[in-house]
């Protein structure tokens, strides 16, 4: 997902349909979302009548919803739940949704190719490597996109840039946790900037601290 939310191109989706069709039911179905305020880690703005929750999926059991073990490759799926209890639609078309670590490391949401590079340890740039004459350039041939990763992103990634009145939308964003320590959620947060109303007015930022999630999780295991 780029720094601002935007749907993937229609043409790109059509090209993937044939390859992804056999994988359509490969993962378990997610349970329906609750109101965002029902989750441990959320931020709610009463004046705007909007609440946003963030739920990290960080156990092997939770990986059943995906076709790929993202945790094994240091990518953390975070379920985003956006509830609009107002009478007008809200827009996330310009939203910036970043993971901010305890040391203020800012991580943007990953794209499928970011995960593919990590899993294969091969760059997917396709750039030619110049060689001395008279040998021709040796091209770095782009690898075929991983169909399982593409399917997960196409079906599970958060893509609803508009949230209608009195509705809840949800989906995953994937964040690279490499280099953020053994427990990257402690003292970290997910920030939402440039959530807007139907007139294009920016709401105040939403900050979702993960310590709330960790505290509830710890209490459940004691």
């Amino acid at each position: 997902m780029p720094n601002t939310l935007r749907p993937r191109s229609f043409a790109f989706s059509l090209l993937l349909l044939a390859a992804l069709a056999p994988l359509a039911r490969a993962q378990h179905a997610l349970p329906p979302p609750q109101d965002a305020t029902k989750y441990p880690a959320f931020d709610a703005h009463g004046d705007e009548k909007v609440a946003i929750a963030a739920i990290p999926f960080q156990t092997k059991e939770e990986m059943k919803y995906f076709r790929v073990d993202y945790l094994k490759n240091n990518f953390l799926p975070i379920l985003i739940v956006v509830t609009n209890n107002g009478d007008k639609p809200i827009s996330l078309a310009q939203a910036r949704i970043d993971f901010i670590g305890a040391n203020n490391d800012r991580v943007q949401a990953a794209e499928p190719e970011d995960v593919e590079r990590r899993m294969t340890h091969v760059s997917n740039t396709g750039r030619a490597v110049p060689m001395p004459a008279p040998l021709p350039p040796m091209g770095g041939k782009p690898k075929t996109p991983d169909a399982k990763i593409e399917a997960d992103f196409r079906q599970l990634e958060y893509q609803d840039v508009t949230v209608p009145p009195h509705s809840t939308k949800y989906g995953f964003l994937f964040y690279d946790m490499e280099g953020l320590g053994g427990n990257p959620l402690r003292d970290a947060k997910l920030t939402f900037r440039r959530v807007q109303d139907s007139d294009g007015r920016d709401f105040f930022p939403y900050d979702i601290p993960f310590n709330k999630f960790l505290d509830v999780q710890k209490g459940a295991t004691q």
Side-chain angles (χ1 to χ4, degrees), residues 95-176:
R96 300 174 181 272
I97 308 173
D98 294 333
F99 182 97
I100 309 296
N103 295 321
N104 289 320
D105 299 290
R106 183 179 296 271
V107 182
Q108 296 180 7
E111 294 278 6
E113 53 266 29
D114 298 324
V115 183
E116 291 166 7
R117 275 195 293 269
R118 175 71 51 76
M119 292 179 65
T120 61
H121 304 287
V122 175
S123 174
N124 191 24
T125 62
R127 295 175 181 171
V129 179
M131 301 288 289
L135 295 176
M138 179 181 293
K141 186 178 180 180
K143 73 179 181 64
T144 302
D146 188 297
K148 291 182 180 180
I149 296 173
E150 297 288 347
D152 275 349
F153 273 74
R154 183 176 64 88
Q155 294 181 0
L156 298 174
E157 186 182 33
Y158 188 95
Q159 298 185 44
D160 290 297
V161 296
T162 299
V163 183
H166 307 288
S167 70
T168 295
K169 298 292 185 180
Y170 73 139
F172 286 94
L173 295 179
F174 300 79
Y175 291 89
D176 187 354

Side-chain angles (χ1 to χ4, degrees), residues 10-207:
F10 180 67
F12 178 73
S13 297
L14 286 179
L15 289 173
L16 286 173
L17 283 179
L20 300 182
L23 303 172
R25 294 183 176 85
Q27 89 285 5
H28 290 73
L30 282 169
Q34 303 179 65
D35 186 284
T37 60
K38 302 298 184 181
Y39 297 93
F42 71 90
D43 190 8
H45 294 183
D47 292 344
E48 296 156 358
K49 298 182 179 179
V50 172
I52 303 177
I55 307 95
F57 277 44
Q58 56 174 0
T59 68
K60 281 190 170 294
E61 173 64 19
E62 289 170 330
M63 288 302 101
K64 69 183 180 183
Y65 296 108
F66 308 99
R67 299 171 178 86
V68 172
D69 187 349
Y70 295 96
L71 298 178
K72 184 178 179 181
N73 295 280
N74 288 324
F75 283 92
L76 178 66
I78 299 179
L79 183 66
I80 308 301
V81 181
V82 183
T83 297
N84 178 12
N85 287 318
D87 296 325
K88 295 182 179 181
I90 64 169
S91 173
L92 276 71
Q94 301 300 319
R96 300 174 181 272
I97 308 173
D98 294 333
F99 182 97
I100 309 296
N103 295 321
N104 289 320
D105 299 290
R106 183 179 296 271
V107 182
Q108 296 180 7
E111 294 278 6
E113 53 266 29
D114 298 324
V115 183
E116 291 166 7
R117 275 195 293 269
R118 175 71 51 76
M119 292 179 65
T120 61
H121 304 287
V122 175
S123 174
N124 191 24
T125 62
R127 295 175 181 171
V129 179
M131 301 288 289
L135 295 176
M138 179 181 293
K141 186 178 180 180
K143 73 179 181 64
T144 302
D146 188 297
K148 291 182 180 180
I149 296 173
E150 297 288 347
D152 275 349
F153 273 74
R154 183 176 64 88
Q155 294 181 0
L156 298 174
E157 186 182 33
Y158 188 95
Q159 298 185 44
D160 290 297
V161 296
T162 299
V163 183
H166 307 288
S167 70
T168 295
K169 298 292 185 180
Y170 73 139
F172 286 94
L173 295 179
F174 300 79
Y175 291 89
D176 187 354
M177 297 290 101
E178 190 168 77
L180 296 185
N183 189 356
L185 292 177
R186 177 60 64 186
D187 297 327
K189 62 183 179 181
L190 200 68
T191 67
F192 286 70
R193 301 293 185 268
R194 301 209 66 189
V195 178
Q196 299 175 329
D197 64 16
S198 56
D199 298 321
R201 178 180 63 89
D202 286 355
F203 291 161
F204 285 109
Y206 288 78
D207 292 323

